[in-house]
């Protein structure tokens, strides 16, 4: 395992860029199988929502195309310069200020880590109950977490191979689960297509919720794109890797949630399978697939981001960071969060705080820095020296954007992203530029050649 792969130093274009397009697609296939996707899908149709089947499918397609594009756009800085999110944030928030958005990204990851682990433990417990009659979900919860900590501590190479192998089984399981649900509940699902539904506000709220479900990953996508080689990978291939990686699982998963809600009014697939699928062999196979999917999701989405942030703040090793993050996730009480009344508010609240940060990052990279960072400056401590290495424009834009997003909580991600981007550019263009040489140079510079400095 290369030291470069588990540090925040830029990764040069070479052997340490270990995620080719196929491996990158497999990573997203493993990551996108999240418990939130089941619930968000079920929230679109009766008894939980107001849309009919065709409106809900339209929401899934529009939202996930937007997700793929946001990941590709914000991940380009990582792909080009080989830098992780915490370093990318230094350009807009400053060396010290970057720790605030880093914390806001890492904090919900801990909760998702716990949620995914709890769902995986439930699946394993259901398998054991059906096979030998032993019932102890807490045993499997702690065992499941120990396995994930061990795999993640071994480094990115181990994570890569778990994702590649897991992705094959996950896509087979997803397709099989889709046909199984259609066979079992086809009449009930078709009936949802006959209701009137709505193209009004609930339709747009559905797009917001499904997009916001990825709001945390939008921020730290550079943690993954930095491992994609530059040589031999075109811009089109880079974008298509996100489209192919995101759309199939991210449309299938909520659709399975839609079917569960339409048929029996239950969003959790573990509960649906345990109660309504009579064949033990089939039930065990699907439950194993669900358990495996939680591992692949956690390894990518919920361990890498907080681990890198912990390495930056506390100057500890990758392995120690993985152990600490894994232990902390146990104390998030996922068995309480996974309640329908609380979960959607949880997703919307996260989106309110993370949306403005994404808007700031996009404006900083594409508008102010014209798609090219001075990487050496990102690793220095001289930016925003007037304000103790904290960019006040980014802090103000984040706070104002989050407050407005909380006011319009149902549209939180869109409101926060647009507000944060607009206010950040205004403050940078008419205030910070007069007091910071790094900002002034960015506004006046022409695009520089694409380089990844050796460090």
């Amino acid at each position: 395992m290369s030291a470069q792969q588990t540090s925040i130093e830029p990764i040069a274009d070479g052997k340490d860029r270990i995620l080719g397009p196929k491996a990158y697609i497999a990573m997203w296939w493993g990551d996108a199988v999240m418990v939130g996707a089941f619930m968000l899908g079920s929230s679109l149709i009766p008894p939980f929502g107001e849309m009919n089947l065709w409106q809900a499918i339209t929401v899934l397609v529009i939202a996930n195309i937007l997700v793929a594009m946001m990941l590709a756009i914000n991940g380009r800085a990582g792909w080009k310069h080989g830098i992780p999110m915490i370093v990318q944030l230094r350009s807009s928030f400053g060396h010290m200020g970057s720790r605030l958005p880093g914390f806001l990204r890492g904090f919900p990851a801990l909760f998702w880590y716990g949620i995914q682990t709890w769902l995986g433990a439930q699946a394993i417990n259901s398998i054991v109950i059906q096979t030998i009659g032993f019932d102890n979900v807490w045993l499997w919860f702690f065992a499941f977490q120990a396995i994930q900590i061990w795999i993640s501590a071994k480094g990115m190479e181990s994570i890569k191979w778990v994702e590649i192998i897991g992705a094959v089984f996950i896509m087979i399981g997803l397709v099989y689960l889709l046909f199984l649900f259609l066979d079992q509940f086809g009449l009930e699902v078709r009936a949802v297509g006959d209701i009137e539904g709505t193209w009004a506000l609930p339709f747009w709220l559905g797009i917001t919720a499904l997009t916001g479900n990825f709001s945390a990953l939008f921020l730290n996508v550079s943690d993954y794109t930095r491992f994609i080689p530059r040589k031999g990978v075109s811009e089109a291939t880079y974008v298509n890797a996100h489209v192919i990686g995101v759309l199939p699982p991210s449309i299938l998963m909520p659709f399975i949630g839609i079917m569960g809600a339409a048929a029996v009014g239950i969003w959790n697939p573990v509960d649906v399978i345990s109660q309504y699928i009579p064949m033990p062999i089939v039930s065990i196979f699907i439950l194993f697939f669900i358990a495996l999917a939680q591992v692949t999701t956690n390894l990518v989405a919920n361990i890498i981001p907080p681990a890198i942030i912990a390495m930056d703040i506390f100057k500890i090793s990758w392995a120690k960071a993985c152990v600490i993050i894994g232990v902390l996730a146990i104390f998030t009480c996922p068995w309480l969060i996974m309640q329908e009344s609380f979960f959607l508010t949880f997703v919307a609240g996260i989106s309110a705080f993370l949306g403005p940060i994404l808007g700031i990052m996009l404006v900083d990279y594409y508008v102010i820095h014209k798609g090219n960072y001075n990487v050496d400056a990102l690793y220095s401590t001289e930016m925003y020296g007037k304000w103790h290495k904290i960019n006040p424009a980014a802090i103000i834009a984040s706070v104002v954007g989050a407050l407005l997003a909380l006011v319009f909580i149902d549209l939180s991600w869109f409101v926060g992203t647009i507000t944060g981007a607009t206010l950040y550019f205004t403050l940078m263009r008419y205030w910070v530029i007069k007091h910071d040489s790094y900002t002034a140079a960015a506004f006046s510079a022409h695009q520089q050649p694409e380089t990844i400095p050796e460090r």
Side-chain angles (χ1 to χ4, degrees):
M1 178 178 63
S2 167
Q4 225 184 7
Q5 294 175 7
T6 54
S7 76
I8 64 171
E9 293 294 313
I11 300 178
D13 192 14
K15 62 182 179 62
D16 289 320
R17 297 252 184 150
I18 60 174
L19 290 180
K22 292 179 182 178
Y24 190 74
I25 290 169
M27 183 199 76
W28 281 111
W29 282 6
D31 172 69
V33 184
M34 317 182 243
V35 62
F38 287 118
M39 181 177 284
L40 290 171
S42 70
S43 72
L44 301 177
I45 65 163
F48 305 114
E50 302 177 41
M51 282 174 266
N52 64 36
L53 179 64
W54 313 115
Q55 292 160 346
I57 291 174
T58 303
V59 166
L60 296 184
V61 173
I62 293 174
N64 285 298
I65 289 174
L66 181 59
V67 166
M69 292 301 99
M70 287 296 101
L71 290 169
I73 291 169
N74 200 40
R76 195 176 185 281
W79 182 45
K80 178 176 180 178
H81 299 297
I83 56 175
M85 175 198 70
I86 196 66
V87 175
Q88 184 180 354
L89 284 167
R90 291 175 181 175
S91 180
S92 50
F93 283 83
H95 195 92
M96 295 298 296
S98 64
R99 293 175 180 179
L100 173 61
F103 174 80
L104 291 174
R105 169 59 184 99
F107 186 71
L110 287 177
F111 284 89
W112 282 117
Y113 194 174
I115 290 169
Q116 301 286 152
T117 302
W118 182 251
L119 184 64
Q122 286 182 313
I124 294 174
N125 194 52
S126 295
I127 292 173
V128 177
I129 290 174
Q130 293 184 40
T131 52
I132 62 175
F134 179 72
D135 182 4
N136 191 331
V137 69
W138 292 102
L139 172 63
W140 305 120
F141 177 64
F142 288 110
F144 205 61
Q145 190 68 329
I147 291 171
Q148 293 177 114
I149 292 172
W150 178 72
I151 294 172
S152 61
K154 290 177 71 65
M156 192 66 193
E157 190 72 32
S158 296
I159 293 174
K160 167 191 170 181
W161 285 110
V162 171
E163 295 295 319
I164 291 174
I165 296 170
V168 176
F169 290 99
I170 284 169
M171 289 307 296
I172 292 172
L174 267 180
V175 172
Y176 183 77
L177 187 58
L178 174 66
F179 283 102
L180 180 66
F181 271 39
L182 284 173
D183 179 62
Q184 293 285 324
F185 310 127
L187 292 176
E188 294 89 339
V189 174
R190 284 194 292 271
V192 177
D194 297 330
I195 67 174
E196 181 178 355
T198 176
W199 296 96
L201 184 60
F203 178 84
W204 300 104
L205 297 183
I207 292 176
T208 304
L210 284 160
T211 306
N213 192 40
F214 281 83
S215 60
L217 285 165
F218 290 156
L219 301 191
N220 78 292
V221 63
S222 285
D223 291 341
Y224 321 126
T225 56
R226 68 197 292 242
F227 290 98
I228 301 175
R230 293 284 287 166
K231 185 178 181 180
V233 178
S234 66
E235 291 278 353
T237 300
Y238 168 77
V239 173
N240 289 335
H242 288 89
V243 173
I244 298 170
V246 170
L247 262 63
S250 297
I251 289 176
L252 285 176
M253 289 291 290
F255 186 66
I256 290 169
I258 287 172
M259 289 192 288
V264 296
I266 297 175
W267 69 267
N268 190 329
V270 175
D271 294 336
V272 176
I273 292 164
S274 299
Q275 297 177 34
Y276 293 94
I277 303 301
M279 298 171 286
I281 298 294
V282 172
S283 177
I284 289 171
F285 170 76
I286 297 298
L287 289 168
F288 174 77
F289 141 72
I290 291 174
L292 176 63
Q294 307 323 301
V295 176
T296 56
T297 299
N298 274 338
L299 289 176
V300 173
N302 303 321
I303 295 175
I304 293 176
I308 291 178
I309 293 162
M311 290 168 62
D312 178 55
I313 295 175
F314 302 111
K315 311 304 179 187
I316 58 178
S317 68
W318 168 266
K320 288 181 180 178
C322 289
V323 172
I324 292 171
I325 297 302
V327 172
L328 289 176
I330 294 173
F331 295 96
T332 59
C333 303
W335 48 92
L336 299 178
I337 297 174
M338 286 177 63
Q339 305 296 321
E340 292 166 21
S341 59
F342 180 78
F343 187 81
L344 294 179
T345 303
F346 174 70
V347 173
I350 291 173
S351 300
F353 288 97
L354 300 184
I357 299 171
L358 176 65
I360 290 167
M361 294 174 77
L362 293 178
V363 166
D364 187 78
Y365 184 62
Y366 286 100
V367 180
I368 297 176
H369 289 271
K370 306 171 183 66
N372 189 72
Y373 278 142
N374 179 341
V375 177
D376 283 331
L378 298 181
Y379 287 86
S380 74
T381 58
E382 298 174 0
M383 296 181 297
Y384 310 112
K386 178 181 174 66
W387 297 285
H388 306 288
K389 304 171 189 175
I390 298 173
N391 183 4
I395 301 299
I396 293 170
S398 296
V399 172
V400 173
L403 290 175
L404 278 178
L406 290 171
V407 171
F408 301 98
I409 189 68
D410 290 331
L411 295 169
S412 59
W413 184 80
F414 286 104
V415 172
T417 302
I418 294 170
T419 302
T422 304
L423 184 55
Y424 177 73
F425 177 78
T426 303
L427 293 173
M428 291 292 282
R429 181 66 181 85
Y430 298 102
W431 174 36
V432 175
I433 191 174
K434 301 175 183 178
H435 304 280
D436 180 67
S437 59
Y438 175 75
T439 302
F443 272 105
S444 62
H446 297 289
Q447 185 166 343
Q448 300 298 314
E450 298 188 4
T451 57
I452 303 172
E454 295 290 344
R455 298 185 60 80

